[in-house]
Amino acid sequence: SASNNFPYFAGESLTTGTNFYITMCQTELNAHETPYVYSGGTTGSRSDTASLIDLKKTRDINVSNVSFDSDSQPEFDGTDDFIPVNNLLASQAIGATTQLTISMWLNPDTHSDDMAFSTGQSGNDRIYHWTTNGVNTWRVNGYTSTTGHGTLPAIGNWYNTVLVLDGLSIRVYLNGVEDYTASYTAFTTEHYATFGRHGASSSYYYNGKIAVARIHDEAMSAEEIKSNFNAYKNRFNL
């Protein structure tokens, strides 16, 4: 059943009592279910800030600004939907000692200036994932992939994109396969992590679904990324 397919953030119909969450961890790969919130005597209702939870239960994840489809899963509408994680990656030094992996499963409804993830709002001091002009790209500080992932997967199809920062080196993977490598210069992130739009700005809203969104404070190896892709690909019909 869907309830056995943990962990995930969105992308499947859920059974009653099951919940969404983002995994943010070091080496642990399992997440804990969010406890129910009892509001107004209604069993099973949840507050806006209790609907998602990270592994360490230390992050503030607010879903009051995201829509839900008929299967009760998050659906980013490209207009005003986003999920901020206010105390994640805010004012964090990114550089020679950084070990960081950001992984998302995406199913876009459009490919026009859609930002699925961002830590920044303006200037170079940011990390973001952007689909624009048929390119599926990551930007880290002044580095921007101009050909990232080559041909963007077709609208309506799920795909897995992974960014790895290992010191000043960048590795990006598409569906478990290394796609390109690069380097960047050290910086401090300008803003907290946001899924579904460009930082705190009201721009570049993502249109589509985001699933199994994970942030690890380790630089995952090619073997680990391939293993994670293989563990989820059947769910997304790949």
Side-chain angles (χ1 to χ4, degrees):
S1 68
S3 59
N4 293 324
N5 290 332
F6 292 121
Y8 61 95
F9 166 50
E12 285 193 302
S13 302
L14 298 180
T15 56
T16 302
T18 311
N19 50 275
F20 306 99
Y21 46 83
I22 302 170
T23 303
M24 285 165 271
C25 60
Q26 193 164 40
T27 56
E28 305 92 334
L29 295 180
N30 295 316
H32 302 288
E33 296 187 18
T34 309
Y36 279 104
V37 176
Y38 297 91
S39 175
T42 302
T43 302
S45 64
R46 303 175 192 273
S47 71
D48 289 335
T49 56
S51 296
L52 296 177
I53 197 167
D54 69 290
L55 181 73
K56 296 182 179 180
K57 302 182 180 180
T58 58
R59 309 297 184 184
D60 298 325
I61 305 173
N62 191 328
V63 297
S64 61
N65 297 301
V66 69
S67 304
F68 292 84
D69 65 15
S70 59
D71 293 319
S72 300
Q73 56 189 349
E75 177 80 31
F76 296 82
D77 64 6
T79 302
D80 56 9
D81 288 353
F82 67 100
I83 296 177
V85 190
N86 294 345
N87 50 2
L88 177 66
L89 294 177
S91 300
Q92 181 169 325
I94 305 293
T97 62
T98 296
Q99 301 283 292
L100 182 68
T101 302
I102 303 172
S103 174
M104 296 181 293
W105 282 83
L106 302 178
N107 188 336
D109 292 330
T110 64
H111 284 160
S112 176
D113 294 346
D114 294 345
M115 198 164 289
F117 175 84
S118 174
T119 64
Q121 185 173 341
S122 62
N124 285 334
D125 297 337
R126 52 189 171 171
I127 301 169
Y128 63 66
H129 178 275
W130 196 24
T131 57
T132 183
N133 297 325
V135 175
N136 180 46
T137 187
W138 284 93
R139 174 170 178 164
V140 180
N141 194 6
Y143 167 77
T144 304
S145 162
T146 57
T147 59
H149 289 357
T151 301
L152 198 62
I155 288 173
N157 291 330
W158 285 101
Y159 64 93
N160 178 227
T161 179
V162 181
L163 170 73
V164 178
L165 301 185
D166 188 358
L168 294 174
S169 297
I170 296 170
R171 288 182 281 119
V172 174
Y173 295 79
L174 175 64
N175 290 343
V177 178
E178 186 177 290
D179 197 50
Y180 59 89
T181 61
S183 60
Y184 68 98
T185 56
F187 65 102
T188 298
T189 56
E190 183 188 45
H191 213 267
Y192 54 77
T194 303
F195 292 89
R197 77 173 185 185
H198 192 192
S201 68
S202 298
S203 59
Y204 303 119
Y205 284 96
Y206 177 76
N207 188 6
K209 294 182 175 66
I210 303 175
V212 199
R214 287 179 164 180
I215 300 176
H216 302 261
D217 53 2
E218 64 169 324
M220 298 182 70
S221 68
E223 291 76 15
E224 290 173 315
I225 290 168
K226 185 68 172 181
S227 178
N228 283 347
F229 171 75
N230 287 336
Y232 284 99
K233 65 180 182 180
N234 289 338
R235 179 188 303 170
F236 301 108
N237 298 318
L238 293 177

